[in-house]
């Protein structure tokens, strides 16, 4: 196999980086991208990442021509144009807007979960803002309720941008909020997640134990 032509700044705990890794596996491109682990938080930027992505966030994908693509959504879109198989982001029609909207809701759920992590892990306990934490938690439950009642059948039809993003979000909830117990409130989603968790792309990209 030839050497990877691209390099991804990532962290094994990042659900946004996991989305990229899942898509790489699903589209047979994992060997094309070298992985560069970095530890970054909003209060601990990495100089090399900042050089390549001014806002210092991961994932960021460095291309062979030295261009850098960042934000997981843009990276997924780019990589989905680099393989010959069935697109994981529908190219046009109502399916495109529906699947991107579901992915966007799953991204918003992820944002809320990561913000809770930052607030509780990085911020001193005496400064924790409970109203703000409660509202992030409510965003998560409203989003999960929507997926449970309105979208689980659609999700089952394809493992694509919407499914990848939601699977990454649910994996992150299990990783950082293991006591949340979301499965009892959202049994259809739990069953969908159990099924997709068996995919090699999910097994190969699990967050650290
Ligand atoms: C985490 O450790 O929870 C985390 C790491 C990178 C990005 C987002 C979250």
């Amino acid at each position: 196999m030839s050497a990877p032509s691209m390099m991804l700044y990532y962290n094994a705990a990042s659900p946004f980086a996991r989305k990229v890794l899942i898509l790489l596996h699903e589209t047979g491109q994992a060997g094309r991208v070298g992985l560069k682990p970095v530890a970054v938080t909003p209060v601990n930027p990495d100089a090399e990442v900042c050089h390549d992505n001014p806002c210092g966030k991961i994932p960021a994908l460095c291309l062979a021509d030295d261009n850098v693509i960042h934000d997981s959504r843009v990276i997924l879109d780019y990589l989905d144009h680099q393989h010959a198989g069935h697109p994981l982001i529908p190219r046009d029609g109502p399916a495109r807007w529906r699947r991107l909207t579901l992915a966007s809701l799953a991204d918003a759920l992820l944002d809320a979960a990561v913000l809770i992590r930052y607030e509780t892990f990085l911020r001193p306990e005496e400064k924790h803002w409970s109203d703000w934490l409660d509202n992030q938690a409510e965003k998560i439950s409203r989003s999960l309720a929507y997926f449970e009642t309105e979208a689980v059948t659609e999700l089952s039809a394809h493992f694509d941008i919407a499914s990848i993003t939601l699977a990454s979000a649910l994996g992150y909830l299990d990783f950082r909020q293991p006591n949340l117990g979301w499965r009892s409130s959202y049994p259809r989603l739990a069953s969908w997640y159990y099924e997709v968790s068996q995919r090699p792309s999910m097994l190969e990209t699990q967050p650290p134990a």
Side-chain angles (χ1 to χ4, degrees):
M1 185 184 285
S2 54
S5 58
M6 298 176 268
M7 187 273 283
L8 183 74
Y9 290 112
Y10 92 115
N11 183 290
S14 164
F16 301 102
R18 189 179 187 197
K19 286 166 52 185
V20 177
L21 299 180
I22 295 170
L23 183 132
L24 285 170
H25 281 277
E26 290 288 334
T27 58
Q29 300 186 84
R32 300 184 60 209
V33 178
L35 301 180
K36 176 139 193 166
V38 283
V40 294
T41 72
V43 291
N44 180 29
D46 176 280
E48 204 180 337
V49 176
C50 289
H51 177 266
D52 286 326
N53 175 7
C55 84
K57 290 169 90 172
I58 58 166
L61 181 69
C62 304
L63 307 185
D65 64 5
D66 286 341
N67 274 307
V68 181
I69 296 185
H70 44 79
D71 186 274
S72 61
R73 299 176 207 217
V74 186
I75 297 173
L76 263 68
D77 198 354
Y78 174 79
L79 291 171
D80 197 38
H81 281 81
Q82 307 304 312
H83 68 99
H86 190 70
L88 298 188
I89 304 174
R91 296 284 192 262
D92 49 34
R96 174 174 175 78
W97 310 116
R98 178 63 179 161
R99 301 307 281 201
L100 283 177
T101 299
L102 291 176
S104 176
L105 185 61
D107 268 324
L109 191 167
L110 254 186
D111 286 338
V114 170
L115 288 173
I116 288 174
R117 169 71 180 168
Y118 288 157
E119 179 77 3
T120 52
F121 183 70
L122 295 178
R123 211 166 151 89
E125 194 166 354
E126 68 276 11
K127 293 188 176 162
H128 289 180
W129 184 4
S130 60
D131 281 353
W132 191 88
L133 282 168
D134 290 348
N135 276 281
Q136 299 305 328
E138 281 167 23
K139 281 189 199 181
I140 293 174
S141 20
R142 285 197 305 269
S143 305
L144 291 174
Y146 181 87
F147 283 117
E148 172 80 6
T149 56
E150 307 293 334
V152 84
T153 308
E154 286 169 80
L155 286 166
S156 306
H158 307 287
F159 196 73
D160 66 356
I161 183 77
S163 308
I164 288 172
T165 309
L166 182 60
S168 185
L170 295 174
Y172 187 73
L173 286 182
D174 284 350
F175 176 48
R176 288 303 188 205
Q177 299 190 40
N179 299 322
L180 186 64
W182 61 270
R183 285 173 176 77
S184 54
S185 303
Y186 312 106
R188 298 177 73 207
L189 208 47
S191 160
W192 173 82
Y193 184 61
Y194 176 79
E195 289 295 322
V196 299
S197 294
Q198 317 301 317
R199 297 178 78 90
S201 65
M202 292 289 292
L203 294 170
E204 293 280 331
T205 61
Q206 291 185 70

